[in-house]
């Protein structure tokens, strides 16, 4: 039987840290579904469709791309996971500071659907300090994020944030 995990997040935008985590998840699961979900606490820079396109483009040459699906998710994460007959959510952990938020979400998801488990994967050390938020902050202030996000994402970020500055 093939195993499926759902990797949810805002991915606003996808970073090399997300891709590192995806690769680690693919060592444990046959298929990983990247689910672009709504985080009510965040105002995204990119639309869900733009984030979808950036992820697809970033993975278009990836050797494991056939084992990855990208989906847009509107409702409750656990309902989506159940609709796929999957039972695992994967999330990345960088530092202790991630823990409280992740712990709360995992336990709420467990309360909502006790059949679904959350598996935490440690991000690679190279990416431990990276987040979509800090990447946007650096680009907004004119800094270089080459090597920290896929090339196409760096380009899109520069276009979007320099446009915002000139408005
Ligand atoms: O990358 P993020 O923003 O930390 O991801 C958070 C996300 C999108 C996974 C979370 O907000 C989520 O699961 N949203 C979908 C709606 C849902 O099920 N919310 C309850 C989570 S306890």
């Amino acid at each position: 039987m093939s195993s499926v995990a759902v990797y949810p997040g805002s991915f606003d935008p996808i970073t090399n840290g997300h891709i590192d985590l995806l690769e680690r998840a693919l060592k444990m699961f046959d298929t990983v579904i990247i689910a672009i979900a709504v985080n009510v606490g965040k105002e995204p820079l990119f639309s869900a469709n733009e984030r979808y396109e950036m992820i697809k483009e970033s993975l278009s040459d990836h050797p494991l791309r056939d084992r990855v699906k990208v989906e847009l998710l509107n409702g409750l994460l656990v309902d989506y996971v159940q609709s796929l007959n999957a039972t695992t959510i994967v999330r990345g952990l960088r530092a202790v500071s991630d823990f409280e938020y992740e712990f709360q979400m995992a336990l709420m998801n467990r309360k909502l659907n006790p059949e679904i488990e959350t598996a935490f994967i440690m991000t690679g050390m190279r990416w431990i300090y990276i987040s979509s938020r800090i990447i946007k902050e650096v680009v907004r202030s004119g800094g270089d994020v080459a090597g920290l996000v896929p090339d196409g994402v760096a380009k899109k970020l520069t276009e979007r944030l320099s446009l915002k500055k000139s408005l």
Side-chain angles (χ1 to χ4, degrees):
M1 217 176 78
S2 77
S3 57
V4 178
V6 175
Y7 177 22
S10 303
F11 302 104
D12 185 47
I14 189 165
T15 68
N16 287 352
H18 291 126
I19 295 174
D20 172 84
L21 205 93
L22 171 70
E23 288 165 349
R24 289 174 198 279
L26 286 166
K27 291 183 191 164
M28 300 160 69
F29 300 94
D30 298 310
T31 303
V32 175
I33 301 177
I34 297 179
I36 303 167
V38 178
N39 181 336
V40 290
K42 290 182 182 169
E43 179 71 46
L45 176 65
F46 294 103
S47 72
N49 282 333
E50 286 173 320
R51 287 178 269 157
Y52 175 91
E53 290 303 332
M54 280 189 274
I55 296 174
K56 290 294 268 188
E57 192 199 319
S58 303
L59 298 176
S60 60
D61 291 330
H62 196 286
L64 302 178
R65 63 186 176 278
D66 292 346
R67 292 169 49 207
V68 181
K69 289 188 186 144
V70 187
E71 302 279 351
L72 295 177
L73 160 62
N74 265 313
L76 207 55
L77 174 61
V78 287
D79 290 349
Y80 173 72
V81 176
Q82 189 170 40
S83 74
L84 299 169
N85 284 324
T87 51
T88 314
I89 294 167
V90 294
R91 291 282 291 175
L93 275 184
R94 288 163 300 196
V96 179
S97 51
D98 282 343
F99 182 75
E100 205 172 325
Y101 168 60
E102 294 297 335
F103 185 64
Q104 186 181 28
M105 241 182 355
L107 292 184
M108 178 54 86
N109 283 328
R110 182 186 285 169
K111 163 83 179 112
L112 294 168
N113 188 332
E115 301 300 314
I116 295 169
E117 294 295 341
T118 302
F120 291 105
I121 299 177
M122 300 303 293
T123 306
M125 285 304 284
R126 278 179 78 187
W127 315 113
I128 215 95
Y129 62 96
I130 293 180
S131 66
S132 300
R133 187 195 59 75
I134 206 159
I135 291 282
K136 286 181 280 195
E137 192 175 324
V138 169
V139 176
R140 196 172 270 125
S141 306
D144 184 11
V145 293
L148 302 179
V149 293
D151 291 346
V153 172
K155 194 164 166 272
K156 277 251 159 37
L157 274 166
T158 310
E159 280 167 13
R160 178 62 49 93
L161 291 170
S162 54
L163 185 76
K164 277 210 159 180
K165 254 195 272 176
S166 65
L167 289 177

